[in-house]
Structure formats: C-alpha cells, structure tokens
Amino acid sequence: MFRRTLLAAALACATSPALASEKKEAKVEVGQYVDLSPVALPIVVRGQLVNYVFVYVRINLTTGANSVKLREKEPYFRDALVRAGHRTPFTKADDYMVVDVGRLTSTLQREAVAIAGPGMVRSVVVTSQAPKRRTGVPTPRAAPGQS
C-alpha cells in the first residue's frame, strides 16, 4: 500500500512540470487579424478550368490598426482576392491541387494595403487549402529538361 502511494506521488511530481510547460506554450500571442471567409479560387491550365481550391486566408494587422473597423471590410478583402484570382489565376505549374501561395499573399498584401490604408496590414497568411476535386485532374507536365 505504501509503495502505491509513493509511486502515485512520484508520478504526480514528475508530470506537474510537464503540464505547467504545456500551459505556458498554449498561451501564444496572436495579435490582431481579419479572417476571410473561405474563397474558391480557380485553377486554370492552358485556358481550361481544371479545379477549384478553397482557400482560408488571415490578414494580420499591426498593433495600431482598428481591428473592429477592418473586420467590417472583410467583404472588400474577399472581393479583391476573388477578382485577382480570376484575372490571373494562382495556378502552380507543378501541382493543380493547391494555389501558388507566394503570388497569392503578395497580391492580397498589395490589395489589403489599398483597402485598409498604409501602415495597417502586417502580413497575409494562407491558413489552409482544400481542393474541390482530388481525382480526374490532369497531371502537370514536366518542365523542359526534366523527365
């Protein structure tokens, strides 16, 4: 009986620092942001629509930005993303299941600054992507010089 009590006490002492460190890690400073509703962006290859990718985007704001006011402008951010995605699709040459994140973030960063004003937008982050079709999509052609 004494062994069980001693073992239980030892386990409780050993796990309590681990739990304390998990609690500290869970408290992460997120800052101000605007999450856009999911947007379906087209994947166009040689003039043909082959897929849509649903993109979830977060616009990170600076500390001096009025987040409540900018969250009211969420439809304008989303509209700018849809217009840019249809004007020149964010299609990757090597994968038709995802969008080109670099081009998307740089384009939306420019548009978000125009909508929110200078000094309000810190960064744009694509939080997740989900393709509409996972099968029946053509395979990307290999680049010249690759087999």
Side-chain angles (χ1 to χ4, degrees):
M1 187 61 114
F2 180 70
R3 287 184 194 169
R4 289 184 193 162
T5 307
L6 185 61
L7 182 61
L11 286 175
C13 290
T15 58
S16 62
L19 291 175
S21 66
E22 287 178 15
K23 289 179 184 176
K24 290 179 183 175
E25 290 175 13
K27 192 174 186 179
V28 176
E29 187 79 25
V30 176
Q32 300 185 79
Y33 58 88
V34 176
D35 278 334
L36 302 186
S37 296
V39 176
L41 295 175
I43 302 297
V44 178
V45 178
R46 292 181 295 283
Q48 280 204 307
L49 176 70
V50 296
N51 202 0
Y52 278 100
V53 176
F54 293 92
V55 180
Y56 296 80
V57 178
R58 173 173 284 178
I59 300 173
N60 293 315
L61 306 173
T62 59
T63 55
N66 184 350
S67 63
V68 174
K69 182 180 173 187
L70 292 176
R71 283 190 181 127
E72 292 174 356
K73 293 188 177 191
E74 186 268 345
Y76 297 103
F77 295 127
R78 197 173 61 239
D79 181 60
L81 178 60
V82 169
R83 286 176 187 267
H86 283 81
R87 185 173 38 246
T88 54
F90 302 114
T91 304
K92 284 186 73 168
D94 60 345
D95 191 1
Y96 300 151
M97 300 292 178
V98 294
V99 296
D100 187 355
V101 175
R103 283 186 30 224
L104 186 146
T105 55
S106 65
T107 301
L108 188 56
Q109 174 85 25
R110 223 178 15 253
E111 297 290 333
V113 168
I115 293 167
M120 297 293 154
V121 177
R122 187 176 65 211
S123 65
V124 174
V125 178
V126 175
T127 55
S128 71
Q129 304 180 48
K132 179 182 178 187
R133 295 176 58 194
R134 296 182 189 275
T135 60
V137 178
T139 56
R141 290 184 180 176
Q146 293 180 348
S147 54

